[in-house]
Amino acid sequence: MEIFRVNGGNRLEGSARVQGAKNSVLPIMAASLLARGTTVIHNCPRLSDVDAAIKILTHLGCGVAREGGSVIINSSSVTRHDIPHELMREMRSSVIFLGAVLARCGEAVMSMPGGCELGPRPVDLHLDAMRVLGAEITQDGGSISCRAARLKGRRVNLDFPSVGATENTMLCAVCCDGATVITNAAREPEIWDLQSYLARLGYQVHGAGTPAITVRGADVSGDTEHSVIPDRIAAATYLAAAACTGGDIELTGVTPGHLAAATDALSGMGCRVSGGHDSVRIDASGLRRAIRPIVTRPYPGFPTDAQPPIMAACLQAEGTTVFVENIFENRYRHTDEMKRLGADIRTEGRVAMVTGVKRLRGAPVVSTDLRGGASLVLAALMAEGVTEISGIRHIDRGYDDLAGALRSLGADISRTVTA
Ligand code: EPZ
């Protein structure tokens, strides 16, 4: 079994470039089905979720190749419209292929994405939106079958600004007759990136970043290239790592505006944060103090994915910080593991109270999910002695060589295999 072994106490210093956004590249890979040509995606991170998406595209009949930091997808001939269970289960967000497969093939068959470590992951908003656009959907046990002899543009209102449901609706709508207006749409930067990719292909999509997105159906085929936006959650994770160690680092290849909620929280803790056009610097050499409540909300609110890393930065801050997790039901599983390192955390439902402690001590801990696992690595950077972190396959889903990046900044972390 592979683990991370961390010897805590090193202060992070230096500069690192941030990976391309996982939550942008995955929907764009699904959208490449609607190119009916060759798409080259640059700034593509090396992640197991990207590998899973490559397997799905290959299964559907696309030609896919990876060249360095780029992925090349030829979707000229898609020969299937089903995604088998074993491919669906490899990636929690594989439901993002639903809209694109339905739009391209007129039908789509896939299994329900199982619940994940964060709690149930329902897809009712996705399916309701597909029905409004003309799909007939049957669910039999764990599988979903969608058929649409004809997709017609309509107004689709989302009860919740779901990121995935917004993306699936956009991808289905580009092949509808007429215009679709999505209201109460998610406003995350990854939605804007998807819109910009679709626009490069020649589709008429407008409004990403606002609650109303308009899509005009079109018959498009062509080749294009697209560079994925920086990963704002990976960036927030590295900034939190610097805060954990009292370090001083600069991140390059970032979009500072996408990081505002996380950098505001870190500034509130007493870190000095400054930004350039595509860089951000954090100097955390001063005393860290507790901050106002961290309440997760849809973008531009505080991102749920940054909750675990920012919590790690609070473990030795002076005072008590309150967290309220509004997006996922079960996103505090990392707290039990943090307590094994000596953290003082009390959770009750959606609320977690984190009181800073003087010392954390290394111990064996288990990653329970992607961002929770990363937060354990950050806590281990502060702990005295050695921490061994297992379950790192969760971390590999969303971070491109997390250990290597932290080592380049001075962390004593290695990836090893244990019996
Ligand atoms: C995306 O997941 C991200 N994943 C998540 O990142 C992120 O945490 C989430 O958006 C919120 O920002 C990708 O983009 C691949 P949602 P998604 O639909 O689309 C409920 C990470 O760590 N809901 O906005 O699945 C749902 O249960 C991952 O990188 C329904 O009830 O998120 C959740 O409580 C984790 N019915 C809330 O909405 C639905 O049909 C937010 O879900 C869909 C969602």
Side-chain angles (χ1 to χ4, degrees), residues 22-23 26 93 118 120-126 160-164 188 304-305 327-328 331 370-371:
K22 164 179 91 79
N23 293 347
L26 294 178
S93 44
L118 307 181
R121 297 296 284 273
V123 292
D124 54 311
L125 299 176
H126 300 245
F160 176 84
S162 154
V163 171
E188 276 71 2
T304 175
D305 297 343
I327 305 296
F328 288 106
R331 198 164 206 170
L370 165 56
R371 308 300 176 184

Side-chain angles (χ1 to χ4, degrees), residues 58-359:
T58 305
H59 170 82
L60 294 171
C62 298
V64 191
R66 196 190 246 287
E67 276 179 20
S70 302
V71 167
I72 302 145
I73 303 165
N74 182 341
S75 64
S76 308
S77 67
V78 167
T79 53
R80 303 183 70 129
H81 62 267
D82 69 303
I83 301 179
H85 180 65
E86 62 273 12
L87 291 182
M88 284 294 288
R89 59 176 295 124
E90 271 196 43
M91 179 174 70
R92 292 295 161 209
S93 44
S94 32
V95 69
I96 189 56
F97 280 88
L98 176 65
V101 173
L102 181 62
R104 175 68 189 264
C105 307
E107 51 187 326
V109 177
M110 50 187 67
S111 58
M112 286 286 280
C116 77
E117 308 80 10
L118 307 181
R121 297 296 284 273
V123 292
D124 54 311
L125 299 176
H126 300 245
L127 301 183
D128 291 349
M130 299 299 111
R131 287 189 184 98
V132 169
L133 298 179
E136 288 163 29
I137 295 173
T138 53
Q139 290 176 260
D140 171 22
S143 90
I144 311 170
S145 294
C146 302
R147 294 177 68 82
R150 184 167 167 270
L151 288 166
K152 182 148 176 40
R154 290 261 196 287
R155 190 175 75 82
V156 176
N157 183 64
L158 298 176
D159 287 346
F160 176 84
S162 154
V163 171
T166 301
E167 291 164 345
N168 257 330
T169 309
M170 288 165 74
L171 296 184
C172 191
V174 297
C175 292
C176 284
D177 293 338
T180 296
V181 179
I182 307 168
T183 52
N184 198 27
R187 299 167 53 190
E188 276 71 2
E190 293 76 24
I191 305 282
W192 176 87
D193 207 19
L194 179 61
Q195 172 179 283
S196 102
Y197 166 71
L198 292 170
R200 279 179 201 277
L201 282 179
Y203 289 109
Q204 299 291 318
V205 186
H206 301 285
T210 77
I213 297 175
T214 303
V215 182
R216 294 194 191 294
D219 192 6
V220 165
S221 62
D223 302 338
T224 193
E225 300 197 35
H226 183 85
S227 189
V228 166
I229 60 172
D231 193 314
R232 59 195 169 95
I233 305 303
T237 304
Y238 292 116
L239 293 174
C244 288
T245 61
D248 183 347
I249 70 168
E250 180 191 50
L251 297 181
T252 58
V254 298
T255 305
H258 294 167
L259 299 176
T263 50
D264 286 354
L266 292 165
S267 302
M269 294 175 76
C271 301
R272 280 179 295 287
V273 179
S274 53
H277 166 64
D278 63 353
S279 65
V280 62
R281 181 181 169 198
I282 184 170
D283 174 359
S285 46
L287 178 70
R288 266 172 291 133
R289 54 181 180 267
I291 44 177
R292 55 166 171 57
I294 298 283
V295 182
T296 66
R297 293 190 180 92
Y299 194 85
F302 190 94
T304 175
D305 297 343
Q307 175 258 105
I310 295 294
M311 184 181 286
C314 294
L315 297 182
Q316 289 192 296
E318 200 169 84
T320 298
T321 299
V322 174
F323 287 78
V324 182
E325 174 52 60
N326 288 317
I327 305 296
F328 288 106
E329 282 178 18
N330 189 20
R331 198 164 206 170
Y332 286 142
R333 294 178 66 199
H334 49 282
T335 59
D336 285 339
E337 298 302 307
M338 288 175 163
K339 285 189 265 191
R340 289 171 53 79
L341 301 174
D344 178 353
I345 307 174
R346 280 160 290 145
T347 59
E348 177 70 39
R350 290 186 176 273
V351 177
M353 309 269 287
V354 180
T355 301
V357 295
K358 287 269 178 278
R359 296 175 66 194

Side-chain angles (χ1 to χ4, degrees), residues 9-20:
N10 290 11
R11 189 171 174 273
L12 297 191
E13 290 182 316
S15 175
R17 182 169 183 77
V18 170
Q19 71 185 58

